[in-house]
Amino acid sequence: MLVINAFTTNAVLFASLLLVIGVPVLYMTQADPSDRRNGNIKRIEILGGVWFHLVLIQAIVGEYVTHQTFGL
């Protein structure tokens, strides 16, 4: 159980690292910053969506592991 929780926690941390480094890089490398629908903006939105879902999954798995481990 704790391995599953550790795996999901590490996935969230890795996705957060990608967002912290990737978002500024993608913004700086845009050809036209005024274009709101270019490819870099779409990539940032996709990374944000993946991160959000990983956080939800980690919360569900963490809650399940807590209930299994401590019998709450």
Side-chain angles (χ1 to χ4, degrees):
M1 291 291 170
L2 294 176
V3 172
I4 296 170
N5 194 23
F7 177 77
T8 56
T9 302
N10 286 331
V12 168
L13 288 173
F14 182 70
S16 298
L17 176 67
L18 286 177
L19 282 173
V20 166
I21 294 172
V23 169
V25 168
L26 288 173
Y27 270 121
M28 290 186 308
T29 58
Q30 315 185 67
D32 183 15
S34 64
D35 182 16
R36 304 259 316 146
R37 299 309 308 164
N38 63 23
N40 288 345
I41 299 296
K42 290 180 183 176
R43 285 188 202 109
I44 292 169
E45 291 171 351
I46 290 169
L47 282 172
V50 168
W51 179 82
F52 177 76
H53 285 92
L54 283 173
V55 169
L56 288 178
I57 291 169
Q58 198 278 329
I60 292 168
V61 169
E63 190 69 24
Y64 177 75
V65 169
T66 301
H67 284 289
Q68 294 297 320
T69 304
F70 299 111
L72 298 175

